[in-house]
PDB file of all heavy atoms in Angstrom:
ATOM      1  N   LEU Q  87       0.134  -4.672 -12.737  1.00 98.00           N
ATOM      2  CA  LEU Q  87      -0.872  -3.638 -12.960  1.00 98.00           C
ATOM      3  C   LEU Q  87      -0.218  -2.261 -12.990  1.00 98.00           C
ATOM      4  O   LEU Q  87      -0.509  -1.443 -13.869  1.00 98.00           O
ATOM      5  CB  LEU Q  87      -1.950  -3.702 -11.877  1.00 98.00           C
ATOM      6  CG  LEU Q  87      -3.155  -2.772 -12.060  1.00 98.00           C
ATOM      7  CD1 LEU Q  87      -4.441  -3.419 -11.555  1.00 98.00           C
ATOM      8  CD2 LEU Q  87      -2.952  -1.439 -11.353  1.00 98.00           C
ATOM      9  N   ALA Q  88       0.683  -2.006 -12.041  1.00 98.00           N
ATOM     10  CA  ALA Q  88       1.369  -0.712 -11.991  1.00 98.00           C
ATOM     11  C   ALA Q  88       2.201  -0.482 -13.250  1.00 98.00           C
ATOM     12  O   ALA Q  88       2.253   0.633 -13.778  1.00 98.00           O
ATOM     13  CB  ALA Q  88       2.253  -0.646 -10.747  1.00 98.00           C
ATOM     14  N   ALA Q  89       2.846  -1.549 -13.751  1.00 98.00           N
ATOM     15  CA  ALA Q  89       3.693  -1.424 -14.932  1.00 98.00           C
ATOM     16  C   ALA Q  89       2.875  -1.126 -16.187  1.00 98.00           C
ATOM     17  O   ALA Q  89       3.355  -0.446 -17.104  1.00 98.00           O
ATOM     18  CB  ALA Q  89       4.505  -2.697 -15.137  1.00 98.00           C
ATOM     19  N   HIS Q  90       1.637  -1.627 -16.235  1.00 98.00           N
ATOM     20  CA  HIS Q  90       0.773  -1.422 -17.397  1.00 98.00           C
ATOM     21  C   HIS Q  90       0.018  -0.089 -17.340  1.00 98.00           C
ATOM     22  O   HIS Q  90      -0.549   0.342 -18.337  1.00 98.00           O
ATOM     23  CB  HIS Q  90      -0.247  -2.560 -17.519  1.00 98.00           C
ATOM     24  CG  HIS Q  90       0.319  -3.824 -18.072  1.00 98.00           C
ATOM     25  ND1 HIS Q  90       1.042  -4.709 -17.304  1.00 98.00           N
ATOM     26  CD2 HIS Q  90       0.274  -4.365 -19.319  1.00 98.00           C
ATOM     27  CE1 HIS Q  90       1.406  -5.751 -18.045  1.00 98.00           C
ATOM     28  NE2 HIS Q  90       0.962  -5.566 -19.278  1.00 98.00           N
ATOM     29  N   ALA Q  91       0.004   0.532 -16.178  1.00 98.00           N
ATOM     30  CA  ALA Q  91      -0.780   1.762 -15.999  1.00 98.00           C
ATOM     31  C   ALA Q  91      -0.023   2.976 -16.515  1.00 98.00           C
ATOM     32  O   ALA Q  91       1.184   2.921 -16.794  1.00 98.00           O
ATOM     33  CB  ALA Q  91      -1.119   1.954 -14.524  1.00 98.00           C
ATOM     34  N   GLY Q  92      -0.752   4.073 -16.623  1.00 96.00           N
ATOM     35  CA  GLY Q  92      -0.149   5.322 -17.066  1.00 96.00           C
ATOM     36  C   GLY Q  92       0.447   6.093 -15.901  1.00 96.00           C
ATOM     37  O   GLY Q  92       0.441   5.631 -14.750  1.00 96.00           O
ATOM     38  N   PRO Q  93       0.935   7.300 -16.156  1.00 96.00           N
ATOM     39  CA  PRO Q  93       1.613   8.094 -15.122  1.00 96.00           C
ATOM     40  C   PRO Q  93       0.682   8.620 -14.036  1.00 96.00           C
ATOM     41  O   PRO Q  93       1.168   9.116 -13.011  1.00 96.00           O
ATOM     42  CB  PRO Q  93       2.223   9.258 -15.927  1.00 96.00           C
ATOM     43  CG  PRO Q  93       1.364   9.364 -17.148  1.00 96.00           C
ATOM     44  CD  PRO Q  93       0.959   7.968 -17.475  1.00 96.00           C
ATOM     45  N   ASN Q  94      -0.632   8.511 -14.238  1.00 97.00           N
ATOM     46  CA  ASN Q  94      -1.577   8.974 -13.221  1.00 97.00           C
ATOM     47  C   ASN Q  94      -1.706   7.986 -12.065  1.00 97.00           C
ATOM     48  O   ASN Q  94      -2.353   8.285 -11.060  1.00 97.00           O
ATOM     49  CB  ASN Q  94      -2.964   9.217 -13.841  1.00 97.00           C
ATOM     50  CG  ASN Q  94      -3.508   7.971 -14.513  1.00 97.00           C
ATOM     51  OD1 ASN Q  94      -2.845   7.414 -15.384  1.00 97.00           O
ATOM     52  ND2 ASN Q  94      -4.681   7.531 -14.124  1.00 97.00           N
ATOM     53  N   LEU Q  95      -1.108   6.797 -12.191  1.00 98.00           N
ATOM     54  CA  LEU Q  95      -1.151   5.804 -11.110  1.00 98.00           C
ATOM     55  C   LEU Q  95       0.167   5.800 -10.357  1.00 98.00           C
ATOM     56  O   LEU Q  95       1.244   5.728 -10.953  1.00 98.00           O
ATOM     57  CB  LEU Q  95      -1.451   4.409 -11.665  1.00 98.00           C
ATOM     58  CG  LEU Q  95      -1.610   3.298 -10.601  1.00 98.00           C
ATOM     59  CD1 LEU Q  95      -2.690   2.298 -11.017  1.00 98.00           C
ATOM     60  CD2 LEU Q  95      -0.295   2.549 -10.365  1.00 98.00           C
ATOM     61  N   THR Q  96       0.062   5.882  -9.024  1.00 98.00           N
ATOM     62  CA  THR Q  96       1.227   5.869  -8.141  1.00 98.00           C
ATOM     63  C   THR Q  96       1.207   4.606  -7.289  1.00 98.00           C
ATOM     64  O   THR Q  96       0.205   4.315  -6.623  1.00 98.00           O
ATOM     65  CB  THR Q  96       1.225   7.101  -7.210  1.00 98.00           C
ATOM     66  OG1 THR Q  96       1.226   8.292  -7.998  1.00 98.00           O
ATOM     67  CG2 THR Q  96       2.429   7.085  -6.287  1.00 98.00           C
ATOM     68  N   LEU Q  97       2.279   3.848  -7.324  1.00 98.00           N
ATOM     69  CA  LEU Q  97       2.399   2.650  -6.493  1.00 98.00           C
ATOM     70  C   LEU Q  97       3.124   3.008  -5.204  1.00 98.00           C
ATOM     71  O   LEU Q  97       4.227   3.562  -5.231  1.00 98.00           O
ATOM     72  CB  LEU Q  97       3.182   1.563  -7.233  1.00 98.00           C
ATOM     73  CG  LEU Q  97       3.527   0.310  -6.422  1.00 98.00           C
ATOM     74  CD1 LEU Q  97       2.266  -0.423  -5.972  1.00 98.00           C
ATOM     75  CD2 LEU Q  97       4.432  -0.632  -7.232  1.00 98.00           C
ATOM     76  N   HIS Q  98       2.480   2.703  -4.070  1.00 98.00           N
ATOM     77  CA  HIS Q  98       3.097   2.933  -2.760  1.00 98.00           C
ATOM     78  C   HIS Q  98       3.210   1.587  -2.062  1.00 98.00           C
ATOM     79  O   HIS Q  98       2.203   0.961  -1.716  1.00 98.00           O
ATOM     80  CB  HIS Q  98       2.243   3.896  -1.925  1.00 98.00           C
ATOM     81  CG  HIS Q  98       2.912   4.359  -0.674  1.00 98.00           C
ATOM     82  ND1 HIS Q  98       2.554   5.506   0.013  1.00 98.00           N
ATOM     83  CD2 HIS Q  98       3.952   3.842   0.044  1.00 98.00           C
ATOM     84  CE1 HIS Q  98       3.307   5.652   1.076  1.00 98.00           C
ATOM     85  NE2 HIS Q  98       4.165   4.646   1.117  1.00 98.00           N
ATOM     86  N   GLU Q  99       4.432   1.130  -1.859  1.00 98.00           N
ATOM     87  CA  GLU Q  99       4.672  -0.156  -1.201  1.00 98.00           C
ATOM     88  C   GLU Q  99       5.073   0.057   0.256  1.00 98.00           C
ATOM     89  O   GLU Q  99       5.769   1.020   0.595  1.00 98.00           O
ATOM     90  CB  GLU Q  99       5.768  -0.923  -1.926  1.00 98.00           C
ATOM     91  CG  GLU Q  99       5.357  -1.419  -3.296  1.00 98.00           C
ATOM     92  CD  GLU Q  99       6.348  -2.424  -3.866  1.00 98.00           C
ATOM     93  OE1 GLU Q  99       7.423  -1.986  -4.319  1.00 98.00           O
ATOM     94  OE2 GLU Q  99       6.052  -3.625  -3.850  1.00 98.00           O
ATOM     95  N   PHE Q 100       4.644  -0.889   1.092  1.00 98.00           N
ATOM     96  CA  PHE Q 100       4.949  -0.844   2.519  1.00 98.00           C
ATOM     97  C   PHE Q 100       5.751  -2.101   2.858  1.00 98.00           C
ATOM     98  O   PHE Q 100       5.192  -3.214   2.872  1.00 98.00           O
ATOM     99  CB  PHE Q 100       3.659  -0.775   3.331  1.00 98.00           C
ATOM    100  CG  PHE Q 100       2.844   0.461   3.054  1.00 98.00           C
ATOM    101  CD1 PHE Q 100       1.893   0.464   2.038  1.00 98.00           C
ATOM    102  CD2 PHE Q 100       3.045   1.628   3.768  1.00 98.00           C
ATOM    103  CE1 PHE Q 100       1.146   1.596   1.758  1.00 98.00           C
ATOM    104  CE2 PHE Q 100       2.315   2.771   3.493  1.00 98.00           C
ATOM    105  CZ  PHE Q 100       1.357   2.757   2.488  1.00 98.00           C
ATOM    106  N   PRO Q 101       7.043  -1.965   3.118  1.00 98.00           N
ATOM    107  CA  PRO Q 101       7.901  -3.130   3.349  1.00 98.00           C
ATOM    108  C   PRO Q 101       7.401  -4.015   4.495  1.00 98.00           C
ATOM    109  O   PRO Q 101       7.153  -3.531   5.602  1.00 98.00           O
ATOM    110  CB  PRO Q 101       9.256  -2.498   3.689  1.00 98.00           C
ATOM    111  CG  PRO Q 101       9.213  -1.160   3.024  1.00 98.00           C
ATOM    112  CD  PRO Q 101       7.791  -0.705   3.138  1.00 98.00           C
ATOM    113  N   GLY Q 102       7.232  -5.296   4.197  1.00 98.00           N
ATOM    114  CA  GLY Q 102       6.859  -6.275   5.204  1.00 98.00           C
ATOM    115  C   GLY Q 102       5.399  -6.296   5.582  1.00 98.00           C
ATOM    116  O   GLY Q 102       4.965  -7.196   6.325  1.00 98.00           O
ATOM    117  N   ALA Q 103       4.615  -5.335   5.117  1.00 98.00           N
ATOM    118  CA  ALA Q 103       3.212  -5.250   5.524  1.00 98.00           C
ATOM    119  C   ALA Q 103       2.398  -6.401   4.951  1.00 98.00           C
ATOM    120  O   ALA Q 103       2.688  -6.917   3.872  1.00 98.00           O
ATOM    121  CB  ALA Q 103       2.617  -3.911   5.090  1.00 98.00           C
ATOM    122  N   TYR Q 104       1.353  -6.772   5.700  1.00 98.00           N
ATOM    123  CA  TYR Q 104       0.478  -7.867   5.291  1.00 98.00           C
ATOM    124  C   TYR Q 104      -0.656  -7.356   4.401  1.00 98.00           C
ATOM    125  O   TYR Q 104      -0.608  -6.254   3.871  1.00 98.00           O
ATOM    126  CB  TYR Q 104      -0.065  -8.576   6.524  1.00 98.00           C
ATOM    127  CG  TYR Q 104       0.891  -9.587   7.145  1.00 98.00           C
ATOM    128  CD1 TYR Q 104       2.243  -9.637   6.783  1.00 98.00           C
ATOM    129  CD2 TYR Q 104       0.444 -10.494   8.098  1.00 98.00           C
ATOM    130  CE1 TYR Q 104       3.104 -10.555   7.357  1.00 98.00           C
ATOM    131  CE2 TYR Q 104       1.298 -11.416   8.680  1.00 98.00           C
ATOM    132  CZ  TYR Q 104       2.632 -11.442   8.306  1.00 98.00           C
ATOM    133  OH  TYR Q 104       3.477 -12.360   8.876  1.00 98.00           O
ATOM    134  N   HIS Q 105      -1.692  -8.148   4.267  1.00 98.00           N
ATOM    135  CA  HIS Q 105      -2.717  -7.913   3.251  1.00 98.00           C
ATOM    136  C   HIS Q 105      -3.624  -6.723   3.534  1.00 98.00           C
ATOM    137  O   HIS Q 105      -3.760  -5.822   2.700  1.00 98.00           O
ATOM    138  CB  HIS Q 105      -3.562  -9.183   3.101  1.00 98.00           C
ATOM    139  CG  HIS Q 105      -4.613  -9.095   2.048  1.00 98.00           C
ATOM    140  ND1 HIS Q 105      -4.307  -8.874   0.722  1.00 98.00           N
ATOM    141  CD2 HIS Q 105      -5.970  -9.185   2.119  1.00 98.00           C
ATOM    142  CE1 HIS Q 105      -5.430  -8.855   0.018  1.00 98.00           C
ATOM    143  NE2 HIS Q 105      -6.449  -9.021   0.835  1.00 98.00           N
ATOM    144  N   CYS Q 106      -4.251  -6.706   4.701  1.00 98.00           N
ATOM    145  CA  CYS Q 106      -5.187  -5.627   5.025  1.00 98.00           C
ATOM    146  C   CYS Q 106      -4.395  -4.462   5.605  1.00 98.00           C
ATOM    147  O   CYS Q 106      -4.235  -4.335   6.824  1.00 98.00           O
ATOM    148  CB  CYS Q 106      -6.258  -6.096   6.003  1.00 98.00           C
ATOM    149  SG  CYS Q 106      -7.556  -4.881   6.281  1.00 98.00           S
ATOM    150  N   LEU Q 107      -3.910  -3.605   4.741  1.00 98.00           N
ATOM    151  CA  LEU Q 107      -2.986  -2.550   5.155  1.00 98.00           C
ATOM    152  C   LEU Q 107      -3.607  -1.592   6.161  1.00 98.00           C
ATOM    153  O   LEU Q 107      -2.929  -1.156   7.102  1.00 98.00           O
ATOM    154  CB  LEU Q 107      -2.519  -1.777   3.915  1.00 98.00           C
ATOM    155  CG  LEU Q 107      -1.690  -2.573   2.914  1.00 98.00           C
ATOM    156  CD1 LEU Q 107      -1.513  -1.787   1.626  1.00 98.00           C
ATOM    157  CD2 LEU Q 107      -0.336  -2.924   3.517  1.00 98.00           C
ATOM    158  N   HIS Q 108      -4.885  -1.264   5.996  1.00 98.00           N
ATOM    159  CA  HIS Q 108      -5.492  -0.289   6.910  1.00 98.00           C
ATOM    160  C   HIS Q 108      -5.787  -0.887   8.290  1.00 98.00           C
ATOM    161  O   HIS Q 108      -6.230  -0.175   9.186  1.00 98.00           O
ATOM    162  CB  HIS Q 108      -6.765   0.315   6.302  1.00 98.00           C
ATOM    163  CG  HIS Q 108      -7.901  -0.643   6.138  1.00 98.00           C
ATOM    164  ND1 HIS Q 108      -8.308  -1.115   4.904  1.00 98.00           N
ATOM    165  CD2 HIS Q 108      -8.723  -1.213   7.048  1.00 98.00           C
ATOM    166  CE1 HIS Q 108      -9.337  -1.924   5.064  1.00 98.00           C
ATOM    167  NE2 HIS Q 108      -9.603  -2.010   6.361  1.00 98.00           N
ATOM    168  N   ALA Q 109      -5.545  -2.200   8.459  1.00 98.00           N
ATOM    169  CA  ALA Q 109      -5.694  -2.825   9.771  1.00 98.00           C
ATOM    170  C   ALA Q 109      -4.391  -3.476  10.230  1.00 98.00           C
ATOM    171  O   ALA Q 109      -4.380  -4.210  11.213  1.00 98.00           O
ATOM    172  CB  ALA Q 109      -6.809  -3.874   9.742  1.00 98.00           C
ATOM    173  N   ASP Q 110      -3.303  -3.195   9.531  1.00 98.00           N
ATOM    174  CA  ASP Q 110      -2.022  -3.798   9.862  1.00 98.00           C
ATOM    175  C   ASP Q 110      -1.337  -2.974  10.959  1.00 98.00           C
ATOM    176  O   ASP Q 110      -1.816  -1.907  11.359  1.00 98.00           O
ATOM    177  CB  ASP Q 110      -1.150  -3.877   8.607  1.00 98.00           C
ATOM    178  CG  ASP Q 110      -0.088  -4.969   8.700  1.00 98.00           C
ATOM    179  OD1 ASP Q 110      -0.219  -5.855   9.560  1.00 98.00           O
ATOM    180  OD2 ASP Q 110       0.870  -4.934   7.914  1.00 98.00           O
ATOM    181  N   SER Q 111      -0.197  -3.443  11.412  1.00 97.00           N
ATOM    182  CA  SER Q 111       0.484  -2.758  12.504  1.00 97.00           C
ATOM    183  C   SER Q 111       1.020  -1.380  12.094  1.00 97.00           C
ATOM    184  O   SER Q 111       1.314  -0.557  12.962  1.00 97.00           O
ATOM    185  CB  SER Q 111       1.635  -3.634  13.033  1.00 97.00           C
ATOM    186  OG  SER Q 111       2.509  -3.994  11.982  1.00 97.00           O
ATOM    187  N   ASN Q 112       1.133  -1.137  10.800  1.00 97.00           N
ATOM    188  CA  ASN Q 112       1.576   0.180  10.310  1.00 97.00           C
ATOM    189  C   ASN Q 112       0.406   0.973   9.735  1.00 97.00           C
ATOM    190  O   ASN Q 112       0.595   1.821   8.862  1.00 97.00           O
ATOM    191  CB  ASN Q 112       2.654   0.014   9.248  1.00 97.00           C
ATOM    192  CG  ASN Q 112       2.112  -0.650   7.984  1.00 97.00           C
ATOM    193  OD1 ASN Q 112       1.269  -1.545   8.066  1.00 97.00           O
ATOM    194  ND2 ASN Q 112       2.591  -0.225   6.823  1.00 97.00           N
ATOM    195  N   ARG Q 113      -0.811   0.720  10.244  1.00 97.00           N
ATOM    196  CA  ARG Q 113      -2.004   1.314   9.633  1.00 97.00           C
ATOM    197  C   ARG Q 113      -2.007   2.843   9.670  1.00 97.00           C
ATOM    198  O   ARG Q 113      -2.588   3.479   8.792  1.00 97.00           O
ATOM    199  CB  ARG Q 113      -3.279   0.777  10.273  1.00 97.00           C
ATOM    200  CG  ARG Q 113      -3.410   1.013  11.772  1.00 97.00           C
ATOM    201  CD  ARG Q 113      -4.670   0.313  12.294  1.00 97.00           C
ATOM    202  NE  ARG Q 113      -4.761   0.357  13.738  1.00 97.00           N
ATOM    203  CZ  ARG Q 113      -4.154  -0.532  14.533  1.00 97.00           C
ATOM    204  NH1 ARG Q 113      -3.406  -1.495  14.018  1.00 97.00           N
ATOM    205  NH2 ARG Q 113      -4.297  -0.456  15.844  1.00 97.00           N
ATOM    206  N   GLN Q 114      -1.355   3.449  10.661  1.00 98.00           N
ATOM    207  CA  GLN Q 114      -1.339   4.911  10.703  1.00 98.00           C
ATOM    208  C   GLN Q 114      -0.615   5.471   9.478  1.00 98.00           C
ATOM    209  O   GLN Q 114      -1.079   6.431   8.852  1.00 98.00           O
ATOM    210  CB  GLN Q 114      -0.676   5.412  11.982  1.00 98.00           C
ATOM    211  CG  GLN Q 114      -0.834   6.907  12.203  1.00 98.00           C
ATOM    212  CD  GLN Q 114      -2.296   7.319  12.366  1.00 98.00           C
ATOM    213  OE1 GLN Q 114      -3.027   6.751  13.165  1.00 98.00           O
ATOM    214  NE2 GLN Q 114      -2.736   8.303  11.580  1.00 98.00           N
ATOM    215  N   GLU Q 115       0.491   4.856   9.129  1.00 98.00           N
ATOM    216  CA  GLU Q 115       1.237   5.270   7.942  1.00 98.00           C
ATOM    217  C   GLU Q 115       0.398   5.068   6.675  1.00 98.00           C
ATOM    218  O   GLU Q 115       0.379   5.922   5.779  1.00 98.00           O
ATOM    219  CB  GLU Q 115       2.533   4.453   7.844  1.00 98.00           C
ATOM    220  CG  GLU Q 115       3.359   4.744   6.605  1.00 98.00           C
ATOM    221  CD  GLU Q 115       4.499   3.757   6.409  1.00 98.00           C
ATOM    222  OE1 GLU Q 115       4.536   2.728   7.132  1.00 98.00           O
ATOM    223  OE2 GLU Q 115       5.344   4.015   5.530  1.00 98.00           O
ATOM    224  N   VAL Q 116      -0.326   3.959   6.618  1.00 98.00           N
ATOM    225  CA  VAL Q 116      -1.164   3.658   5.458  1.00 98.00           C
ATOM    226  C   VAL Q 116      -2.294   4.672   5.335  1.00 98.00           C
ATOM    227  O   VAL Q 116      -2.538   5.247   4.265  1.00 98.00           O
ATOM    228  CB  VAL Q 116      -1.732   2.225   5.564  1.00 98.00           C
ATOM    229  CG1 VAL Q 116      -2.766   1.972   4.470  1.00 98.00           C
ATOM    230  CG2 VAL Q 116      -0.612   1.198   5.502  1.00 98.00           C
ATOM    231  N   LEU Q 117      -2.997   4.890   6.433  1.00 98.00           N
ATOM    232  CA  LEU Q 117      -4.120   5.822   6.406  1.00 98.00           C
ATOM    233  C   LEU Q 117      -3.656   7.247   6.110  1.00 98.00           C
ATOM    234  O   LEU Q 117      -4.334   7.993   5.393  1.00 98.00           O
ATOM    235  CB  LEU Q 117      -4.879   5.754   7.732  1.00 98.00           C
ATOM    236  CG  LEU Q 117      -5.645   4.452   7.979  1.00 98.00           C
ATOM    237  CD1 LEU Q 117      -6.148   4.390   9.419  1.00 98.00           C
ATOM    238  CD2 LEU Q 117      -6.812   4.308   7.011  1.00 98.00           C
TER     239      LEU Q 117
END
């Protein structure tokens, strides 16, 4: 999806994080 999108889309990946990012152990960084 990110590869097909235009420059207005930003992909932010979180190494090792699980599915529900806003409830994961790194949720402060996500939020």
Side-chain angles (χ1 to χ4, degrees):
L87 186 145
H90 283 80
N94 57 304
L95 184 144
T96 301
L97 173 63
H98 190 159
E99 291 192 284
F100 298 89
Y104 279 13
H105 182 61
C106 187
L107 295 169
H108 67 252
D110 204 17
S111 55
N112 66 323
R113 59 185 173 275
Q114 190 63 51
E115 177 190 10
V116 172
L117 291 170

